[in-house]
Structures are given as structure tokens and as C-alpha cells.
Amino acid sequence: MSDTDRPNDGLVIAGQTYHSRLLVGTGKYRDLDETRAAVEASGAEIITVAIRRTNIGQNPDEPNLLDVLPADRYTYLPNTAGCYNAQDAIRTCRLARELLDGHKLVKLEVLGDEKTLYPDVVQTLEAAEILVADGFDVMVYTSDDPILAKRLEELGCVAVMPLAAPIGSGLGIQNRYNILEIVENASVPILVDAGVGTASDAAIAMELGCDGVLMNTAIAAAKNPVLMAGAMKKAIEAGREAFLAGRMPRRRYASASSPVEGTFF
């Protein structure tokens, strides 16, 4: 598809337009050089950073992520990974705002337990309400529950991010119908977050109508992270174009590619 044929199709989050619909994490890579190379190959413009685990200025004696992925080139999305209650998540977001000079865009993630890493939805709702009231632009990780997703939107979250499968599992989208229900009833961007394992998983998410996909382990844990990052970029683009094109209807029986009418013999 040429640029002249492509619809005006930017991803708008908190009033900012992005060309890439792939958001990537910055953890689990071998070193910062591999992190940089994979992020560049992905084409991502928004990158997540776990404030509790990644140095962006907290420790001047350690390598700083900002040195290899500068904030004037990427939109940082600080996340509250590792938080298991609302208060810790709120405190982490406020720390990120201080470290990044008043940065308001955050990814809220409040986990329920260490085994499943499923979201604690009660604590997530509490934290979201407080953070929105405090002026943050909240992108929120949640379960694939359509009712909960709508509730988070109504609280004022700028994007809702249902899981496809447990964090880091690579199982792909386990409940397409719930994701589809969330997408069809949303007035804010819906991005699949967690569970993607390979390029086809990302393409399916986009074909369902999701506005984007956030991933980390699927790229970082690949045998060749940089090559996988490029594959994910292509999958996101292909899935989005397929969604915009409108797939053919499914049929139970065959339908000839060439019409029978008007044949010569």
C-alpha cells in the first residue's frame, strides 16, 4: 500500500499522534546495546520502562537507559511493574513524574500475585481513580473483562490494555471474543498487553481491531531479539491493514475463485 493509498491512521494517545502501533518494553535484554538495537528494529515510538527495575537517573553509578534511548526520540511510558497494591503503584508513578520532569503518561499495572501476574482489579481501579485525579494520563493493564475495561475508561484512563494471556507466557490471545467485545465498545484506544509470543499473535490482535500491542518478552526472549523486533513491526502493520481492508466473510463451503457465468464452453 502506498502512502497515498493509506488512510490517515495514526494512533492517538492523550492527544499525541504516533505512527507506530507497536509499543515495546526495555527489560530482559542481554545489555543496553541489544535493547537499543531491538527497539530501533521494532520502529516503536513509545517504550515502557519499569521504574523499580531500570535506571533512568535514580542511580548515577549505573548505566542510564536514557543514554541509549533518548527521551527526545522516544515517548517514555513509565510502568508500575512489581507493584502489588494501589499505594505502591501511585508512589511509583509520582517518582517517575519527578525523574522525567513532570511527565504525565504512565502505564498502571497492579498485580495480584507472583505466580500468575494477573492484575488485581480492585487495586487497579483504586489506583486509576487517584492517578487520573492527580493529573496523570493513565494507560492501564487489566484483565480481558469487558465490563472492567469500560469502567476503567469511564474513570478517565486514556487507554485500556487487556491481557491476551499471562505476562511473559507467550500463549497468544486466549479469548478473542472478549477482546473483540472490549474493542467494539470502547471510546479510547485498546491495546493488547501481555501474552504475545510471536508475530502471528500480534497480527491477530490487530485484525480484531485493537489499536496497538505492547510487548517485551516476545522480543527480548527470542533467540534473535533484533530479528523478532522487525518481524513484530511487520505483523502489526499487516494486521492493521487487514483490519482496515475488511476481511472476506467466512463460509462453510467452497466458493469458486472464477465465476461460472459467462464461460466460453
Side-chain angles (χ1 to χ4, degrees), residues 6-256:
R6 189 185 302 275
N8 184 10
D9 189 42
L11 170 62
V12 180
I13 296 178
Q16 179 72 33
T17 301
Y18 301 93
H19 299 293
S20 174
R21 292 176 177 271
L22 174 59
L23 291 69
V24 297
T26 53
K28 301 185 178 181
Y29 291 97
R30 183 176 64 248
D31 51 37
L32 287 182
D33 286 337
E34 185 176 73
T35 306
R36 175 194 52 75
V39 171
E40 288 179 352
S42 75
E45 297 167 276
I46 301 176
I47 57 174
T48 66
V49 53
I51 295 299
R52 291 186 154 205
R53 302 169 183 161
T54 307
N55 183 38
I56 57 171
Q58 306 97 308
N59 190 340
D61 298 324
E62 293 183 0
N64 191 330
L65 185 68
L66 290 164
D67 292 336
V68 295
L69 297 172
D72 60 354
R73 180 175 176 185
Y74 298 98
T75 294
Y76 269 64
L77 181 62
N79 72 48
T80 61
C83 292
Y84 289 86
N85 61 69
Q87 290 307 312
D88 282 351
I90 293 165
R91 190 179 303 113
T92 301
C93 287
R94 288 171 175 165
L95 172 62
R97 182 164 60 184
E98 292 180 14
L99 290 171
L100 294 171
D101 299 323
H103 187 82
K104 297 195 302 177
L105 186 67
V106 294
K107 179 195 167 187
L108 173 62
E109 178 179 310
V110 186
L111 304 176
D113 64 73
E114 294 185 3
K115 180 181 180 180
T116 68
L117 300 182
Y118 277 124
D120 183 323
V121 296
V122 174
Q123 294 289 302
T124 297
L125 285 165
E126 179 183 335
E129 187 169 14
I130 292 171
L131 288 169
V132 169
D134 197 20
F136 284 94
D137 294 324
V138 179
M139 301 175 66
V140 58
Y141 165 69
T142 183
S143 64
D144 60 354
D145 180 342
I147 304 302
L148 180 60
K150 195 63 182 178
R151 177 62 177 146
L152 289 163
E153 176 187 329
E154 291 168 350
L155 282 177
C157 295
V158 299
V160 176
M161 308 174 74
L163 55 80
I167 292 173
S169 68
L171 291 172
I173 297 177
Q174 294 299 295
N175 196 331
R176 299 186 189 188
Y177 298 103
N178 274 22
I179 297 295
L180 186 60
E181 183 72 15
I182 292 170
V183 168
E184 289 181 343
N185 289 282
S187 301
V188 297
I190 302 298
L191 298 92
V192 157
D193 178 15
V196 167
T198 191
S200 57
D201 299 330
I204 288 169
M206 299 308 296
E207 289 171 5
L208 288 172
C210 291
D211 296 282
V213 178
L214 190 154
M215 66 182 73
N216 187 178
T217 307
I219 296 175
K223 292 181 179 178
N224 186 330
V226 177
L227 187 61
M228 182 62 81
M232 291 298 188
K233 176 183 178 181
K234 298 180 183 74
I236 294 287
E237 292 172 351
R240 180 62 180 178
E241 289 186 3
F243 170 74
L244 294 175
R247 65 158 290 143
M248 63 167 285
R250 291 179 171 87
R251 299 186 178 97
R252 184 176 177 184
Y253 299 108
S255 175

